[in-house]
Amino acid sequence: MRRILGYATALPVSVLLLAGAGAGAGVGAGAASASVPGDDGFTIKDPRITESSGLAASRAHPGIYWTHNDGDDGTYLYAVDGRTGETVARITYTGVGKPHDVEAVSVGPDGHLYVGAIGDNDEDEDHVWIYRLKEPSDLSDRTVAATEYHVAYEDGAHNAESLAVHPGTGRIYVITKDKDGGALYEAPEEPSPDGDNTLGKVADIDLWVTDAAFSPDGTRLAVRGDDGIMYTWKNGKPSHPRALDVPKQKQGEAITFTTDGRTLLYGSEGRNSGVVARPAKAGAAIVDEADGLSGMRVTGVVIGVAAGVALLLGGGRMVWLRKRSNGRRGSAL
């Protein structure tokens, strides 16, 4: 089981003040930069969107967010304007079978949209589906041809709601959904539209995951359920998990980064559902209970060093104050 480290409160006041000064400078710098449409959240107003299950920020159309309904109501993607919450286009993708349970959408670095029909509540499907289609350059209602990929897990059937395409490598990743914690799987580097593609396990994800997204620069992976985790992404693997501030939502489902990577947007199912914005900053570190001792040792070393520095600075200041005080007394005689 995972555990959040909360040792920051043990740091000396002087160190916390220095850290706070640095954090304030970062916030100021962010506030001075141009905002991204939708980075303060919005409400999805289209009455056809009743179960927004996935969310992905368009790279071709800044301020546009792709979403879809949960389940099997059709091969539709909706382009929602983050400024107004209104749908500006509905895409119908063809060339695929009837979707079984559409759960996620992601934007790849190749100018394509990836849709995951990966839900399998009974975990009895011998394969699930991923669809790939060109993101339209013109936002209007239209039909777009899609490629269908059959994918199967290396270790048997799983239920999943999360699909994320890495913005650098174009690799497709799926995270399974399990109350005891899911797992991250990767598709082949070049999936084939003919036959099954095997999803190989990469890492355990200690969360009941409903969606996931890579940061635009590919260095972070954010996953969410009712809680959330931000991972550092390096060499094709997640590491250094830290807690995310996930908003309370009636049925929280989706997550995506804004195109500048500064903000995370959290979506929810339901009519007129709200998309809530949170800064894309991770909080306290998370460690495994099994690895808790090593985590405590590392944290203890950091705190010890910080405390030592604070004591040295404090001691030096006390010496300086004594000398200054003695000098004043001497000049007064």
Side-chain angles (χ1 to χ4, degrees), residues 3 5 7 287 290-305:
R3 184 159 53 89
L5 291 176
Y7 298 104
V287 295
D291 191 42
L293 184 58
S294 62
M296 290 171 64
R297 286 172 179 164
V298 171
T299 307
V301 170
V302 173
I303 292 174
V305 171

Side-chain angles (χ1 to χ4, degrees), residues 31-309:
S33 64
S35 63
V36 175
D39 68 357
D40 56 352
F42 55 92
T43 298
I44 297 175
K45 298 177 181 178
D46 192 329
R48 297 171 296 181
I49 304 173
T50 58
E51 295 182 283
S52 175
S53 183
L55 197 64
S58 171
R59 292 184 178 85
H61 308 283
I64 298 298
Y65 297 88
W66 294 99
T67 190
H68 56 84
N69 281 315
D70 191 349
D72 53 3
D73 74 330
T75 55
Y76 305 120
L77 284 175
Y78 298 85
V80 179
D81 191 334
R83 301 171 185 84
T84 65
E86 300 284 356
T87 296
V88 295
R90 185 175 82 161
I91 305 302
T92 303
Y93 50 96
T94 62
V96 302
K98 181 177 172 60
H100 175 67
D101 192 352
V102 177
E103 293 288 356
V105 61
S106 186
V107 179
D110 55 357
H112 284 73
L113 299 168
Y114 291 77
V115 181
I118 52 179
D120 183 10
N121 290 324
D122 296 326
E123 298 189 352
D124 58 2
E125 298 286 346
D126 58 5
H127 67 270
V128 290
W129 300 265
I130 295 173
Y131 310 125
R132 176 178 177 265
L133 59 144
K134 184 73 174 178
E135 183 173 14
S137 57
D138 176 44
L139 289 176
S140 60
D141 291 358
R142 60 179 57 223
T143 299
V144 178
T147 300
E148 180 179 83
Y149 300 105
H150 290 191
V151 294
Y153 301 92
E154 64 177 7
D155 52 0
H158 294 282
N159 184 34
E161 295 188 4
S162 309
L163 177 146
V165 180
H166 192 272
T169 65
R171 199 72 173 261
I172 302 169
Y173 294 88
V174 173
I175 301 177
T176 58
K177 180 183 179 183
D178 191 288
K179 64 181 180 180
D180 295 323
L184 175 75
Y185 291 78
E186 65 178 4
E189 187 174 353
E190 295 184 8
S192 170
D194 303 314
D196 281 344
N197 297 277
T198 301
L199 295 171
K201 185 175 178 179
V202 175
D204 289 320
I205 302 293
D206 193 10
L207 192 70
W208 191 73
V209 184
T210 61
D211 203 9
F214 283 106
S215 60
D217 63 2
T219 62
R220 293 168 290 165
L221 174 66
V223 299
R224 74 154 298 179
D226 291 334
D227 298 314
I229 303 175
M230 181 80 83
Y231 290 95
T232 297
W233 187 266
K234 189 174 182 180
N235 299 325
K237 292 183 179 181
S239 63
H240 300 90
R242 304 187 73 85
L244 279 176
D245 177 24
V246 177
K248 297 298 181 184
Q249 294 175 301
K250 185 176 181 180
Q251 191 169 351
E253 286 283 330
I255 189 171
T256 190
F257 281 87
T258 52
T259 52
D260 63 0
R262 294 177 180 270
T263 304
L264 282 167
L265 296 177
Y266 296 87
S268 177
E269 291 191 356
R271 293 183 184 276
N272 296 311
S273 60
V275 176
V276 180
R278 289 282 190 273
K281 294 181 179 179
I286 299 171
V287 295
D288 248 290
E289 288 291 353
D291 191 42
L293 184 58
S294 62
M296 290 171 64
R297 286 172 179 164
V298 171
T299 307
V301 170
V302 173
I303 292 174
V305 171
V309 170

